[in-house]
Amino acid sequence: MKLFAPKETCAGERRVALVPAAVARLVKLGAEVEVEAGLGETLRESDAAYTEAGATISHDRRASLGSADMVLRLHKPPVDEVGLLKQGAIHVSYLDPFNDRPLLEALAAAGVSAICMEMIPRSTLAQKMDALSSQANLAGYLSVVLAAGQLGRILPMMMTPSGTIPPARVFVIGVGVAGLQAIATAKRLGARVEAFDTRPVVEEQVQSLGAKFVKVDLGEMGETKQGYAKQLTEEQLEKQRQVMAKHCAQSDIVITTAQLFGRPAPVIVTDEMVRGMRPGSLLVDLAVETGGNVEGSKVDEVVEVDGVRILGYSNLPGHAAVPASEMYASNLANLIEHFWDKDEKGFRMDPADELQQGCLLTHGGAIIHESFKPAASDDAS
Ligand code: NAD
């Protein structure tokens, strides 16, 4: 089976889908691995490092896309490259399926089996393939480190003969994978940390990291079967904002990570709340790419409101492209190893398998995933 990893085409992306260590694992399985020349440039990995790991180097992207049995990438494919893929090829990448239906239709029409990395199930079995988690973990870390570098203050308490500096206060809103790592990082740097999430199960996790959980009585809450947050009503959100306002006002750094899977992020910190914060303090909006948790945040911009800065970094994991690529490549290798058929020396497609049911969106010329299948009425027309 021939696997091919093309260079990413997304502007500014420094992460890649395959690193040499993952190539070596795949070659050991019995796969033939090809990577586009210069794939590792952004990581300072030479083509030679990939060949030493057992890959061959392609200087003809279109030909390699057309001959590969499986294409591995980070970002969704440009739609004009879908037609180059071989009928029956497997394509593995992020696909942004809730926002890009034309791409799903193109993949189905091309007879490609598309595995979507955002849809890897949140199960114990699939944890090692979960790219959303591996990347969110780095985003959480980087949100604190980048904010700390721009704050103009320090995070730990310092007691010196020249005086005592109190610890900075960090408030984390949304305690999923990124939020937990943000709390752990801020604690390690010596900050006083508070956090809030609408899922009640999170309280214990926050406390176990030595942070304080902010309590808000929002009535009925909970989480979906996949472990994601449920959407709040407008009244619940308003109640949440009232409590958050007080904690934002006394914080030096506010980090928001509150997302709703497949839907726009809720606006939690309003313009009025931002204006209620001390000049010099910072917000980092990790949800900026899905609409933002902070009113006024802008993708890849620093917005200043009455001396308070809102940092709207997109692609935070890209700021640590080496570990982010290592983890993503490892997620891919784990997925491939899991379904590798030793006798056939190939990836075993099995749309009935529970894990593949979760993440296989197109197969056999159709969109087959329950969440994206054309409605029955569309079928009839
Ligand atoms: P996410 O990125 O979708 O959301 C981040 C956080 O925002 C979540 O904790 C969510 O509850 C919270 N949130 C949503 N609306 C909010 C609001 N109005 N106010 C405050 N917080 C709000 O979530 P995620 O980080 O991808 O993970 C969600 C859960 O799934 C976590 O419990 C995580 O541990 C679990 N998980 C399980 C597995 C597994 O079992 N394999 C893998 C990954 C994640």
Side-chain angles (χ1 to χ4, degrees), residues 122-123 127 130 133 174-177 197-199 227-229 232 240 257-259 266 268:
R122 253 72 211 277
S123 62
Q127 227 165 358
D130 185 353
S133 289
V175 190
V177 180
D197 195 291
T198 50
R199 290 179 302 117
Y228 290 113
L232 299 185
Q240 174 183 355
T257 80
Q259 311 239 32
I268 296 172

mmCIF file with all atom_site columns, all heavy atoms in Angstrom, residues 122-123 127 130 133 174-177 197-199 227-229 232 240 257-259 266 268, ligand 1:
data_model
loop_
_atom_site.group_PDB
_atom_site.id
_atom_site.type_symbol
_atom_site.label_atom_id
_atom_site.label_alt_id
_atom_site.label_comp_id
_atom_site.label_asym_id
_atom_site.label_entity_id
_atom_site.label_seq_id
_atom_site.pdbx_PDB_ins_code
_atom_site.Cartn_x
_atom_site.Cartn_y
_atom_site.Cartn_z
_atom_site.occupancy
_atom_site.B_iso_or_equiv
_atom_site.pdbx_formal_charge
_atom_site.auth_seq_id
_atom_site.auth_comp_id
_atom_site.auth_asym_id
_atom_site.auth_atom_id
_atom_site.pdbx_PDB_model_num
ATOM   1   N N   . ARG A 1 122 ? -14.437 10.135 20.777 1.00 0.00 ? 122 ARG A N   1
ATOM   2   C CA  . ARG A 1 122 ? -13.827 10.408 22.076 1.00 0.00 ? 122 ARG A CA  1
ATOM   3   C C   . ARG A 1 122 ? -13.964 9.173  22.952 1.00 0.00 ? 122 ARG A C   1
ATOM   4   O O   . ARG A 1 122 ? -14.665 9.169  23.948 1.00 0.00 ? 122 ARG A O   1
ATOM   5   C CB  . ARG A 1 122 ? -14.553 11.586 22.702 1.00 0.00 ? 122 ARG A CB  1
ATOM   6   C CG  . ARG A 1 122 ? -13.811 12.905 22.737 1.00 0.00 ? 122 ARG A CG  1
ATOM   7   C CD  . ARG A 1 122 ? -13.628 13.629 21.499 1.00 0.00 ? 122 ARG A CD  1
ATOM   8   N NE  . ARG A 1 122 ? -12.390 14.409 21.495 1.00 0.00 ? 122 ARG A NE  1
ATOM   9   C CZ  . ARG A 1 122 ? -12.259 15.613 22.024 1.00 0.00 ? 122 ARG A CZ  1
ATOM   10  N NH1 . ARG A 1 122 ? -13.245 16.202 22.613 1.00 0.00 ? 122 ARG A NH1 1
ATOM   11  N NH2 . ARG A 1 122 ? -11.115 16.253 21.968 1.00 0.00 ? 122 ARG A NH2 1
ATOM   12  N N   . SER A 1 123 ? -13.295 8.069  22.553 1.00 0.00 ? 123 SER A N   1
ATOM   13  C CA  . SER A 1 123 ? -13.372 6.844  23.340 1.00 0.00 ? 123 SER A CA  1
ATOM   14  C C   . SER A 1 123 ? -11.975 6.500  23.844 1.00 0.00 ? 123 SER A C   1
ATOM   15  O O   . SER A 1 123 ? -10.980 7.016  23.304 1.00 0.00 ? 123 SER A O   1
ATOM   16  C CB  . SER A 1 123 ? -13.900 5.705  22.471 1.00 0.00 ? 123 SER A CB  1
ATOM   17  O OG  . SER A 1 123 ? -13.000 5.467  21.409 1.00 0.00 ? 123 SER A OG  1
ATOM   18  N N   . GLN A 1 127 ? -8.260  7.273  21.891 1.00 0.00 ? 127 GLN A N   1
ATOM   19  C CA  . GLN A 1 127 ? -7.553  8.419  22.491 1.00 0.00 ? 127 GLN A CA  1
ATOM   20  C C   . GLN A 1 127 ? -6.208  8.701  21.807 1.00 0.00 ? 127 GLN A C   1
ATOM   21  O O   . GLN A 1 127 ? -5.860  9.845  21.562 1.00 0.00 ? 127 GLN A O   1
ATOM   22  C CB  . GLN A 1 127 ? -7.299  8.113  23.960 1.00 0.00 ? 127 GLN A CB  1
ATOM   23  C CG  . GLN A 1 127 ? -7.665  9.254  24.852 1.00 0.00 ? 127 GLN A CG  1
ATOM   24  C CD  . GLN A 1 127 ? -7.761  8.824  26.305 1.00 0.00 ? 127 GLN A CD  1
ATOM   25  O OE1 . GLN A 1 127 ? -7.590  7.653  26.639 1.00 0.00 ? 127 GLN A OE1 1
ATOM   26  N NE2 . GLN A 1 127 ? -8.019  9.773  27.162 1.00 0.00 ? 127 GLN A NE2 1
ATOM   27  N N   . ASP A 1 130 ? -6.483  10.774 18.668 1.00 0.00 ? 130 ASP A N   1
ATOM   28  C CA  . ASP A 1 130 ? -7.312  11.971 18.789 1.00 0.00 ? 130 ASP A CA  1
ATOM   29  C C   . ASP A 1 130 ? -6.495  13.255 18.572 1.00 0.00 ? 130 ASP A C   1
ATOM   30  O O   . ASP A 1 130 ? -5.868  13.779 19.494 1.00 0.00 ? 130 ASP A O   1
ATOM   31  C CB  . ASP A 1 130 ? -7.960  11.955 20.183 1.00 0.00 ? 130 ASP A CB  1
ATOM   32  C CG  . ASP A 1 130 ? -8.942  13.089 20.382 1.00 0.00 ? 130 ASP A CG  1
ATOM   33  O OD1 . ASP A 1 130 ? -9.032  13.974 19.509 1.00 0.00 ? 130 ASP A OD1 1
ATOM   34  O OD2 . ASP A 1 130 ? -9.617  13.090 21.417 1.00 0.00 ? 130 ASP A OD2 1
ATOM   35  N N   . SER A 1 133 ? -7.415  16.487 20.569 1.00 0.00 ? 133 SER A N   1
ATOM   36  C CA  . SER A 1 133 ? -6.834  16.550 21.914 1.00 0.00 ? 133 SER A CA  1
ATOM   37  C C   . SER A 1 133 ? -5.343  16.849 21.866 1.00 0.00 ? 133 SER A C   1
ATOM   38  O O   . SER A 1 133 ? -4.854  17.673 22.636 1.00 0.00 ? 133 SER A O   1
ATOM   39  C CB  . SER A 1 133 ? -7.031  15.220 22.656 1.00 0.00 ? 133 SER A CB  1
ATOM   40  O OG  . SER A 1 133 ? -8.371  15.063 22.999 1.00 0.00 ? 133 SER A OG  1
ATOM   41  N N   . GLY A 1 174 ? -13.693 27.594 30.367 1.00 0.00 ? 174 GLY A N   1
ATOM   42  C CA  . GLY A 1 174 ? -13.736 26.443 29.460 1.00 0.00 ? 174 GLY A CA  1
ATOM   43  C C   . GLY A 1 174 ? -12.595 25.513 29.829 1.00 0.00 ? 174 GLY A C   1
ATOM   44  O O   . GLY A 1 174 ? -11.436 25.824 29.579 1.00 0.00 ? 174 GLY A O   1
ATOM   45  N N   . VAL A 1 175 ? -12.923 24.408 30.485 1.00 0.00 ? 175 VAL A N   1
ATOM   46  C CA  . VAL A 1 175 ? -11.863 23.516 30.969 1.00 0.00 ? 175 VAL A CA  1
ATOM   47  C C   . VAL A 1 175 ? -11.974 22.141 30.294 1.00 0.00 ? 175 VAL A C   1
ATOM   48  O O   . VAL A 1 175 ? -12.284 21.152 30.943 1.00 0.00 ? 175 VAL A O   1
ATOM   49  C CB  . VAL A 1 175 ? -11.889 23.399 32.515 1.00 0.00 ? 175 VAL A CB  1
ATOM   50  C CG1 . VAL A 1 175 ? -10.647 22.675 33.001 1.00 0.00 ? 175 VAL A CG1 1
ATOM   51  C CG2 . VAL A 1 175 ? -11.977 24.776 33.145 1.00 0.00 ? 175 VAL A CG2 1
ATOM   52  N N   . GLY A 1 176 ? -11.767 22.124 28.983 1.00 0.00 ? 176 GLY A N   1
ATOM   53  C CA  . GLY A 1 176 ? -11.619 20.855 28.263 1.00 0.00 ? 176 GLY A CA  1
ATOM   54  C C   . GLY A 1 176 ? -10.136 20.537 28.240 1.00 0.00 ? 176 GLY A C   1
ATOM   55  O O   . GLY A 1 176 ? -9.405  20.843 29.191 1.00 0.00 ? 176 GLY A O   1
ATOM   56  N N   . VAL A 1 177 ? -9.681  19.973 27.140 1.00 0.00 ? 177 VAL A N   1
ATOM   57  C CA  . VAL A 1 177 ? -8.270  19.579 27.042 1.00 0.00 ? 177 VAL A CA  1
ATOM   58  C C   . VAL A 1 177 ? -7.369  20.818 27.102 1.00 0.00 ? 177 VAL A C   1
ATOM   59  O O   . VAL A 1 177 ? -6.405  20.862 27.869 1.00 0.00 ? 177 VAL A O   1
ATOM   60  C CB  . VAL A 1 177 ? -8.044  18.789 25.729 1.00 0.00 ? 177 VAL A CB  1
ATOM   61  C CG1 . VAL A 1 177 ? -6.594  18.381 25.602 1.00 0.00 ? 177 VAL A CG1 1
ATOM   62  C CG2 . VAL A 1 177 ? -8.956  17.560 25.678 1.00 0.00 ? 177 VAL A CG2 1
ATOM   63  N N   . ASP A 1 197 ? -16.232 25.999 34.023 1.00 0.00 ? 197 ASP A N   1
ATOM   64  C CA  . ASP A 1 197 ? -16.770 25.251 32.879 1.00 0.00 ? 197 ASP A CA  1
ATOM   65  C C   . ASP A 1 197 ? -18.211 24.906 33.203 1.00 0.00 ? 197 ASP A C   1
ATOM   66  O O   . ASP A 1 197 ? -18.581 24.765 34.370 1.00 0.00 ? 197 ASP A O   1
ATOM   67  C CB  . ASP A 1 197 ? -15.951 23.967 32.655 1.00 0.00 ? 197 ASP A CB  1
ATOM   68  C CG  . ASP A 1 197 ? -16.207 23.342 31.285 1.00 0.00 ? 197 ASP A CG  1
ATOM   69  O OD1 . ASP A 1 197 ? -17.320 22.831 31.060 1.00 0.00 ? 197 ASP A OD1 1
ATOM   70  O OD2 . ASP A 1 197 ? -15.297 23.371 30.441 1.00 0.00 ? 197 ASP A OD2 1
ATOM   71  N N   . THR A 1 198 ? -19.027 24.773 32.150 1.00 0.00 ? 198 THR A N   1
ATOM   72  C CA  . THR A 1 198 ? -20.441 24.453 32.390 1.00 0.00 ? 198 THR A CA  1
ATOM   73  C C   . THR A 1 198 ? -20.651 22.978 32.714 1.00 0.00 ? 198 THR A C   1
ATOM   74  O O   . THR A 1 198 ? -21.708 22.610 33.206 1.00 0.00 ? 198 THR A O   1
ATOM   75  C CB  . THR A 1 198 ? -21.273 24.774 31.125 1.00 0.00 ? 198 THR A CB  1
ATOM   76  O OG1 . THR A 1 198 ? -20.634 24.164 30.005 1.00 0.00 ? 198 THR A OG1 1
ATOM   77  C CG2 . THR A 1 198 ? -21.382 26.261 30.904 1.00 0.00 ? 198 THR A CG2 1
ATOM   78  N N   . ARG A 1 199 ? -19.664 22.126 32.390 1.00 0.00 ? 199 ARG A N   1
ATOM   79  C CA  . ARG A 1 199 ? -19.817 20.705 32.702 1.00 0.00 ? 199 ARG A CA  1
ATOM   80  C C   . ARG A 1 199 ? -19.401 20.478 34.149 1.00 0.00 ? 199 ARG A C   1
ATOM   81  O O   . ARG A 1 199 ? -18.237 20.705 34.510 1.00 0.00 ? 199 ARG A O   1
ATOM   82  C CB  . ARG A 1 199 ? -18.971 19.849 31.744 1.00 0.00 ? 199 ARG A CB  1
ATOM   83  C CG  . ARG A 1 199 ? -19.507 19.843 30.316 1.00 0.00 ? 199 ARG A CG  1
ATOM   84  C CD  . ARG A 1 199 ? -18.644 19.023 29.372 1.00 0.00 ? 199 ARG A CD  1
ATOM   85  N NE  . ARG A 1 199 ? -17.269 19.486 29.339 1.00 0.00 ? 199 ARG A NE  1
ATOM   86  C CZ  . ARG A 1 199 ? -16.213 18.780 29.723 1.00 0.00 ? 199 ARG A CZ  1
ATOM   87  N NH1 . ARG A 1 199 ? -16.370 17.548 30.161 1.00 0.00 ? 199 ARG A NH1 1
ATOM   88  N NH2 . ARG A 1 199 ? -15.008 19.287 29.672 1.00 0.00 ? 199 ARG A NH2 1
ATOM   89  N N   . GLY A 1 227 ? -18.994 13.647 25.451 1.00 0.00 ? 227 GLY A N   1
ATOM   90  C CA  . GLY A 1 227 ? -18.250 14.394 26.469 1.00 0.00 ? 227 GLY A CA  1
ATOM   91  C C   . GLY A 1 227 ? -18.169 15.881 26.183 1.00 0.00 ? 227 GLY A C   1
ATOM   92  O O   . GLY A 1 227 ? -17.484 16.619 26.879 1.00 0.00 ? 227 GLY A O   1
ATOM   93  N N   . TYR A 1 228 ? -18.876 16.355 25.144 1.00 0.00 ? 228 TYR A N   1
ATOM   94  C CA  . TYR A 1 228 ? -18.840 17.782 24.818 1.00 0.00 ? 228 TYR A CA  1
ATOM   95  C C   . TYR A 1 228 ? -19.919 18.535 25.595 1.00 0.00 ? 228 TYR A C   1
ATOM   96  O O   . TYR A 1 228 ? -20.911 17.955 26.028 1.00 0.00 ? 228 TYR A O   1
ATOM   97  C CB  . TYR A 1 228 ? -19.079 17.996 23.326 1.00 0.00 ? 228 TYR A CB  1
ATOM   98  C CG  . TYR A 1 228 ? -17.933 17.530 22.457 1.00 0.00 ? 228 TYR A CG  1
ATOM   99  C CD1 . TYR A 1 228 ? -18.079 16.457 21.600 1.00 0.00 ? 228 TYR A CD1 1
ATOM   100 C CD2 . TYR A 1 228 ? -16.708 18.178 22.502 1.00 0.00 ? 228 TYR A CD2 1
ATOM   101 C CE1 . TYR A 1 228 ? -17.022 16.027 20.794 1.00 0.00 ? 228 TYR A CE1 1
ATOM   102 C CE2 . TYR A 1 228 ? -15.651 17.770 21.711 1.00 0.00 ? 228 TYR A CE2 1
ATOM   103 C CZ  . TYR A 1 228 ? -15.813 16.697 20.860 1.00 0.00 ? 228 TYR A CZ  1
ATOM   104 O OH  . TYR A 1 228 ? -14.770 16.286 20.078 1.00 0.00 ? 228 TYR A OH  1
ATOM   105 N N   . ALA A 1 229 ? -19.722 19.871 25.713 1.00 0.00 ? 229 ALA A N   1
ATOM   106 C CA  . ALA A 1 229 ? -20.688 20.694 26.438 1.00 0.00 ? 229 ALA A CA  1
ATOM   107 C C   . ALA A 1 229 ? -21.980 20.833 25.644 1.00 0.00 ? 229 ALA A C   1
ATOM   108 O O   . ALA A 1 229 ? -21.971 20.823 24.419 1.00 0.00 ? 229 ALA A O   1
ATOM   109 C CB  . ALA A 1 229 ? -20.091 22.084 26.665 1.00 0.00 ? 229 ALA A CB  1
ATOM   110 N N   . LEU A 1 232 ? -25.974 26.411 26.054 1.00 0.00 ? 232 LEU A N   1
ATOM   111 C CA  . LEU A 1 232 ? -26.770 27.039 27.122 1.00 0.00 ? 232 LEU A CA  1
ATOM   112 C C   . LEU A 1 232 ? -27.887 27.874 26.499 1.00 0.00 ? 232 LEU A C   1
ATOM   113 O O   . LEU A 1 232 ? -27.783 28.317 25.354 1.00 0.00 ? 232 LEU A O   1
ATOM   114 C CB  . LEU A 1 232 ? -25.885 27.969 27.957 1.00 0.00 ? 232 LEU A CB  1
ATOM   115 C CG  . LEU A 1 232 ? -24.687 27.371 28.695 1.00 0.00 ? 232 LEU A CG  1
ATOM   116 C CD1 . LEU A 1 232 ? -24.027 28.437 29.564 1.00 0.00 ? 232 LEU A CD1 1
ATOM   117 C CD2 . LEU A 1 232 ? -25.092 26.189 29.559 1.00 0.00 ? 232 LEU A CD2 1
ATOM   118 N N   . GLN A 1 240 ? -24.288 33.362 33.547 1.00 0.00 ? 240 GLN A N   1
ATOM   119 C CA  . GLN A 1 240 ? -22.862 33.027 33.569 1.00 0.00 ? 240 GLN A CA  1
ATOM   120 C C   . GLN A 1 240 ? -22.024 34.293 33.431 1.00 0.00 ? 240 GLN A C   1
ATOM   121 O O   . GLN A 1 240 ? -21.061 34.498 34.171 1.00 0.00 ? 240 GLN A O   1
ATOM   122 C CB  . GLN A 1 240 ? -22.530 32.056 32.429 1.00 0.00 ? 240 GLN A CB  1
ATOM   123 C CG  . GLN A 1 240 ? -21.037 31.791 32.311 1.00 0.00 ? 240 GLN A CG  1
ATOM   124 C CD  . GLN A 1 240 ? -20.655 30.891 31.141 1.00 0.00 ? 240 GLN A CD  1
ATOM   125 O OE1 . GLN A 1 240 ? -21.497 30.363 30.435 1.00 0.00 ? 240 GLN A OE1 1
ATOM   126 N NE2 . GLN A 1 240 ? -19.374 30.699 30.945 1.00 0.00 ? 240 GLN A NE2 1
ATOM   127 N N   . THR A 1 257 ? -11.573 29.191 26.317 1.00 0.00 ? 257 THR A N   1
ATOM   128 C CA  . THR A 1 257 ? -11.431 28.027 25.417 1.00 0.00 ? 257 THR A CA  1
ATOM   129 C C   . THR A 1 257 ? -12.786 27.378 25.175 1.00 0.00 ? 257 THR A C   1
ATOM   130 O O   . THR A 1 257 ? -12.849 26.226 24.761 1.00 0.00 ? 257 THR A O   1
ATOM   131 C CB  . THR A 1 257 ? -10.510 26.951 26.035 1.00 0.00 ? 257 THR A CB  1
ATOM   132 O OG1 . THR A 1 257 ? -11.264 26.196 26.994 1.00 0.00 ? 257 THR A OG1 1
ATOM   133 C CG2 . THR A 1 257 ? -9.306  27.532 26.735 1.00 0.00 ? 257 THR A CG2 1
ATOM   134 N N   . ALA A 1 258 ? -13.879 28.104 25.489 1.00 0.00 ? 258 ALA A N   1
ATOM   135 C CA  . ALA A 1 258 ? -15.203 27.463 25.489 1.00 0.00 ? 258 ALA A CA  1
ATOM   136 C C   . ALA A 1 258 ? -15.715 27.243 24.063 1.00 0.00 ? 258 ALA A C   1
ATOM   137 O O   . ALA A 1 258 ? -15.996 28.199 23.334 1.00 0.00 ? 258 ALA A O   1
ATOM   138 C CB  . ALA A 1 258 ? -16.187 28.315 26.279 1.00 0.00 ? 258 ALA A CB  1
ATOM   139 N N   . GLN A 1 259 ? -15.820 25.983 23.688 1.00 0.00 ? 259 GLN A N   1
ATOM   140 C CA  . GLN A 1 259 ? -16.267 25.661 22.330 1.00 0.00 ? 259 GLN A CA  1
ATOM   141 C C   . GLN A 1 259 ? -17.462 24.734 22.409 1.00 0.00 ? 259 GLN A C   1
ATOM   142 O O   . GLN A 1 259 ? -17.683 24.065 23.420 1.00 0.00 ? 259 GLN A O   1
ATOM   143 C CB  . GLN A 1 259 ? -15.169 24.925 21.579 1.00 0.00 ? 259 GLN A CB  1
ATOM   144 C CG  . GLN A 1 259 ? -13.831 25.595 21.686 1.00 0.00 ? 259 GLN A CG  1
ATOM   145 C CD  . GLN A 1 259 ? -13.261 25.967 20.336 1.00 0.00 ? 259 GLN A CD  1
ATOM   146 O OE1 . GLN A 1 259 ? -13.978 26.279 19.389 1.00 0.00 ? 259 GLN A OE1 1
ATOM   147 N NE2 . GLN A 1 259 ? -11.949 25.941 20.242 1.00 0.00 ? 259 GLN A NE2 1
ATOM   148 N N   . PRO A 1 266 ? -19.870 30.177 22.087 1.00 0.00 ? 266 PRO A N   1
ATOM   149 C CA  . PRO A 1 266 ? -20.710 31.182 22.747 1.00 0.00 ? 266 PRO A CA  1
ATOM   150 C C   . PRO A 1 266 ? -19.912 32.436 23.115 1.00 0.00 ? 266 PRO A C   1
ATOM   151 O O   . PRO A 1 266 ? -18.743 32.340 23.466 1.00 0.00 ? 266 PRO A O   1
ATOM   152 C CB  . PRO A 1 266 ? -21.154 30.465 24.034 1.00 0.00 ? 266 PRO A CB  1
ATOM   153 C CG  . PRO A 1 266 ? -20.092 29.445 24.305 1.00 0.00 ? 266 PRO A CG  1
ATOM   154 C CD  . PRO A 1 266 ? -19.531 29.043 22.965 1.00 0.00 ? 266 PRO A CD  1
ATOM   155 N N   . ILE A 1 268 ? -18.977 34.822 25.697 1.00 0.00 ? 268 ILE A N   1
ATOM   156 C CA  . ILE A 1 268 ? -19.039 34.787 27.162 1.00 0.00 ? 268 ILE A CA  1
ATOM   157 C C   . ILE A 1 268 ? -18.551 36.104 27.754 1.00 0.00 ? 268 ILE A C   1
ATOM   158 O O   . ILE A 1 268 ? -19.123 36.622 28.702 1.00 0.00 ? 268 ILE A O   1
ATOM   159 C CB  . ILE A 1 268 ? -18.195 33.595 27.689 1.00 0.00 ? 268 ILE A CB  1
ATOM   160 C CG1 . ILE A 1 268 ? -18.821 32.291 27.194 1.00 0.00 ? 268 ILE A CG1 1
ATOM   161 C CG2 . ILE A 1 268 ? -18.118 33.611 29.210 1.00 0.00 ? 268 ILE A CG2 1
ATOM   162 C CD1 . ILE A 1 268 ? -18.001 31.067 27.483 1.00 0.00 ? 268 ILE A CD1 1
HETATM 163 P P1  . NAD B 2 .   ? -14.166 21.676 23.465 1.00 0.00 ? 1   NAD B P1  1
HETATM 164 O O1  . NAD B 2 .   ? -12.905 22.152 22.818 1.00 0.00 ? 1   NAD B O1  1
HETATM 165 O O2  . NAD B 2 .   ? -15.331 21.374 22.603 1.00 0.00 ? 1   NAD B O2  1
HETATM 166 O O3  . NAD B 2 .   ? -14.638 22.767 24.538 1.00 0.00 ? 1   NAD B O3  1
HETATM 167 C C1  . NAD B 2 .   ? -13.750 23.278 25.521 1.00 0.00 ? 1   NAD B C1  1
HETATM 168 C C2  . NAD B 2 .   ? -14.478 23.416 26.834 1.00 0.00 ? 1   NAD B C2  1
HETATM 169 O O4  . NAD B 2 .   ? -15.406 24.484 26.794 1.00 0.00 ? 1   NAD B O4  1
HETATM 170 C C3  . NAD B 2 .   ? -15.278 22.184 27.246 1.00 0.00 ? 1   NAD B C3  1
HETATM 171 O O5  . NAD B 2 .   ? -14.795 21.712 28.469 1.00 0.00 ? 1   NAD B O5  1
HETATM 172 C C4  . NAD B 2 .   ? -16.708 22.714 27.353 1.00 0.00 ? 1   NAD B C4  1
HETATM 173 O O6  . NAD B 2 .   ? -17.422 22.076 28.389 1.00 0.00 ? 1   NAD B O6  1
HETATM 174 C C5  . NAD B 2 .   ? -16.471 24.166 27.651 1.00 0.00 ? 1   NAD B C5  1
HETATM 175 N N1  . NAD B 2 .   ? -17.629 25.076 27.440 1.00 0.00 ? 1   NAD B N1  1
HETATM 176 C C6  . NAD B 2 .   ? -18.570 25.086 26.450 1.00 0.00 ? 1   NAD B C6  1
HETATM 177 N N2  . NAD B 2 .   ? -19.451 26.097 26.635 1.00 0.00 ? 1   NAD B N2  1
HETATM 178 C C7  . NAD B 2 .   ? -19.052 26.763 27.757 1.00 0.00 ? 1   NAD B C7  1
HETATM 179 C C8  . NAD B 2 .   ? -19.528 27.907 28.446 1.00 0.00 ? 1   NAD B C8  1
HETATM 180 N N3  . NAD B 2 .   ? -20.616 28.581 28.070 1.00 0.00 ? 1   NAD B N3  1
HETATM 181 N N4  . NAD B 2 .   ? -18.848 28.284 29.554 1.00 0.00 ? 1   NAD B N4  1
HETATM 182 C C9  . NAD B 2 .   ? -17.765 27.640 29.988 1.00 0.00 ? 1   NAD B C9  1
HETATM 183 N N5  . NAD B 2 .   ? -17.257 26.551 29.379 1.00 0.00 ? 1   NAD B N5  1
HETATM 184 C C10 . NAD B 2 .   ? -17.900 26.109 28.275 1.00 0.00 ? 1   NAD B C10 1
HETATM 185 O O7  . NAD B 2 .   ? -13.897 20.398 24.380 1.00 0.00 ? 1   NAD B O7  1
HETATM 186 P P2  . NAD B 2 .   ? -12.652 19.411 24.424 1.00 0.00 ? 1   NAD B P2  1
HETATM 187 O O8  . NAD B 2 .   ? -11.509 20.055 25.107 1.00 0.00 ? 1   NAD B O8  1
HETATM 188 O O9  . NAD B 2 .   ? -12.385 18.921 23.048 1.00 0.00 ? 1   NAD B O9  1
HETATM 189 O O10 . NAD B 2 .   ? -13.177 18.186 25.306 1.00 0.00 ? 1   NAD B O10 1
HETATM 190 C C11 . NAD B 2 .   ? -14.415 18.107 25.927 1.00 0.00 ? 1   NAD B C11 1
HETATM 191 C C12 . NAD B 2 .   ? -14.440 16.889 26.837 1.00 0.00 ? 1   NAD B C12 1
HETATM 192 O O11 . NAD B 2 .   ? -14.149 15.688 26.145 1.00 0.00 ? 1   NAD B O11 1
HETATM 193 C C13 . NAD B 2 .   ? -13.444 16.936 27.964 1.00 0.00 ? 1   NAD B C13 1
HETATM 194 O O12 . NAD B 2 .   ? -14.057 16.440 29.115 1.00 0.00 ? 1   NAD B O12 1
HETATM 195 C C14 . NAD B 2 .   ? -12.388 15.989 27.587 1.00 0.00 ? 1   NAD B C14 1
HETATM 196 O O13 . NAD B 2 .   ? -11.695 15.461 28.691 1.00 0.00 ? 1   NAD B O13 1
HETATM 197 C C15 . NAD B 2 .   ? -13.224 14.943 26.883 1.00 0.00 ? 1   NAD B C15 1
HETATM 198 N N6  . NAD B 2 .   ? -12.353 14.164 26.001 1.00 0.00 ? 1   NAD B N6  1
HETATM 199 C C16 . NAD B 2 .   ? -12.398 12.796 26.064 1.00 0.00 ? 1   NAD B C16 1
HETATM 200 C C17 . NAD B 2 .   ? -11.567 12.053 25.246 1.00 0.00 ? 1   NAD B C17 1
HETATM 201 C C18 . NAD B 2 .   ? -11.560 10.569 25.282 1.00 0.00 ? 1   NAD B C18 1
HETATM 202 O O14 . NAD B 2 .   ? -12.184 9.976  26.120 1.00 0.00 ? 1   NAD B O14 1
HETATM 203 N N7  . NAD B 2 .   ? -10.876 9.939  24.360 1.00 0.00 ? 1   NAD B N7  1
HETATM 204 C C19 . NAD B 2 .   ? -10.739 12.691 24.348 1.00 0.00 ? 1   NAD B C19 1
HETATM 205 C C20 . NAD B 2 .   ? -10.737 14.087 24.306 1.00 0.00 ? 1   NAD B C20 1
HETATM 206 C C21 . NAD B 2 .   ? -11.568 14.814 25.141 1.00 0.00 ? 1   NAD B C21 1
#
